[in-house]
Structure formats: C-alpha cells, structure tokens
Amino acid sequence: MLQDEAVHPADAPFYETPDPSPMRAHYRAEGLAEADLAADPYGQFARWFKEAVAAGLHEPNAMVVSTVGPDGRPSSRTVLLKAFNDRGFVFYTNYTSRKGRELAENPHVSLLFPWHPLARQVIVSGTAERIGRDETAAYFRTRPHGSQLGAWASDQSAVVTSRAELEHAYEELAARYPEGEQVPAPPHWGGYRVVAEAVEFWQGRLNRLHDRLRYVHDAPADGWRVERLAP
C-alpha cells in the first residue's frame, strides 16, 4: 500500500476510548524571561521546585529518567529525586536494574520533571555517576522499614514467576529483620548523581508560544550560558 493510501487510524478498528485529538490545555499568560533567571540552573531549579511544592503538586520530586541501552534503544521510567545541589541531582535504585546496567555502559542520561498543573517542565541532560557508599547508607537509614526490606526483596527488572514469589522473599526478610532492627543497605543498591550539562526550563504560554530557556555548560571555566529555544 502506498503511503498516501494508508488507512487513517480513525478508520481502523480500535478500542473504545475518548478521542485524544481535541484534548488540549490553554496555558498561562505569565512567562519566563532571561532577566528573571537565577545565575545557574541549580538555583533556578530550587526556585521552581519550591513553587511546585507550595502549589501542592503530587510528588513534585517525581522525574522521568531516560537511559540508552547498548543496542541504542532508549528506556524511561519514573523515579524520585532525593537530593539536589550545585553538584547535581540524586536518585537511588538497584544497580542491577535495567537503568543501572544501561548507566554502567553509557552514563549519559536525561531527567524530566513534568509539573503539568503549573504548565512547567524541567529537562536535564547530563551524566550519571555513583555516589559514595557512606552517602547511600545514610539515606537508606531514613527509608521506611518496609522500603528497606523491599530493596533487598526485589531483584529489580528481573523476571519473576509470580507475585507470590516476590511476597515470599519479602516475608523471609521481614522475619530476619523485624521492625525496629537495623537493615543494612544492599551492596547492589545505591545512589546516582546526575551532573548537568544542559538544563531547560519550559514554561507554557498562550497560543503554544512557550518559553524555553536552556542553560548550557560548555566547559568548566566558561560557566553557564543561556539560550532561548523556539517552541
């Protein structure tokens, strides 16, 4: 079949579902100007993150982490930001998970904070590096007891035969480490710090003429420069 003769998706058999084509939001009039930016992207992120928390967004620290496998195929998943400063953005995971294996081969990573109620996005491009074990252990001790056990029970991204297998592993660990007993941080679990090379701040505007301001770090001695991108 020639491309011009391709069946339009609307004409093809499909599931009964609301039509997404007319779904659109009318974004805010307030914009983002270069003169209003912080001196560096970490300072600007701190401003926007504070506003996202104040607005009552559900899990404002949720971010989409995208990695690339050795076959060149990207993969994405949502994780929680657990720390940030002028050294980078920190999250924790299983080092043997898909993202852990992919980061071991290719440390280049993208982070996306989708703050839809504020018509904002922050997109971070950079490289991920493992943090120290002391920092990992200190954070691990702050996790709820059940989450500590879950880090041991789940061989993240591995195939399991059933839900019962996963719950059985958890129950065995709960018997070994009852509530109140210290659970050691798993050696295969820890943190990554994403050191930013570019950070884009996206603000939705009327008529789809969004503001997109991107900090770019060309070289350590050059500091940050800001460029405006067409929407």
Side-chain angles (χ1 to χ4, degrees):
M1 179 181 292
L2 297 176
Q3 185 175 1
D4 291 343
E5 299 174 353
V7 177
H8 190 277
D11 301 326
F14 205 68
Y15 298 106
E16 290 290 336
T17 181
D19 180 8
S21 63
M23 296 179 182
R24 60 179 56 86
H26 296 286
Y27 296 127
R28 60 202 296 166
E30 299 84 359
L32 180 64
E34 287 85 342
D36 298 329
L37 292 175
D40 62 75
Y42 298 111
Q44 184 62 34
F45 181 85
R47 291 179 184 176
W48 271 23
F49 185 70
K50 183 177 180 180
E51 292 175 8
V53 173
L57 269 62
H58 176 67
E59 293 192 325
N61 61 328
M63 59 185 186
V64 178
V65 177
S66 297
T67 56
V68 178
D71 57 358
R73 295 178 181 272
S75 61
S76 301
R77 73 289 292 161
T78 302
V79 304
L80 296 178
L81 175 73
K82 287 302 178 180
F84 72 91
N85 53 31
D86 59 2
R87 297 171 57 205
F89 303 84
V90 176
F91 68 93
Y92 293 85
T93 190
N94 188 313
Y95 290 142
T96 65
S97 66
R98 177 173 179 175
K99 58 183 165 303
R101 296 193 306 271
E102 291 182 345
L103 288 174
E105 295 289 332
N106 181 353
H108 296 290
V109 64
S110 175
L111 310 178
L112 167 64
F113 294 86
W115 294 329
H116 301 306
L118 298 179
R120 288 177 173 176
Q121 299 179 77
V122 179
I123 305 167
V124 180
S125 299
T127 54
E129 56 188 30
R130 291 189 185 187
I131 67 173
R133 291 308 296 174
D134 289 345
E135 190 175 348
T136 286
Y139 168 71
F140 190 79
R141 288 193 293 270
T142 70
R143 288 166 60 94
H145 182 71
S147 296
Q148 293 178 343
L149 297 179
W152 278 99
S154 174
D155 185 10
Q156 195 176 83
S157 300
V159 175
V160 292
T161 58
S162 66
R163 173 77 189 187
E165 176 187 342
L166 188 62
E167 292 181 346
H168 178 69
Y170 181 90
E171 290 167 0
E172 287 188 332
L173 286 160
R176 181 178 178 183
Y177 298 106
E179 188 76 42
E181 185 168 336
Q182 183 174 343
V183 181
H188 57 271
W189 186 96
Y192 286 99
R193 176 174 288 104
V194 177
V195 180
E197 297 168 355
V199 185
E200 178 185 331
F201 292 85
W202 184 102
Q203 175 68 71
R205 298 292 302 276
L206 294 174
N207 302 317
R208 295 301 188 266
L209 296 179
H210 314 305
D211 285 325
R212 298 176 59 191
L213 298 182
R214 180 171 63 186
Y215 291 81
V216 180
H217 203 208
D218 294 317
D222 296 335
W224 296 96
R225 61 180 174 86
V226 176
E227 54 191 16
R228 177 176 285 270
L229 304 178

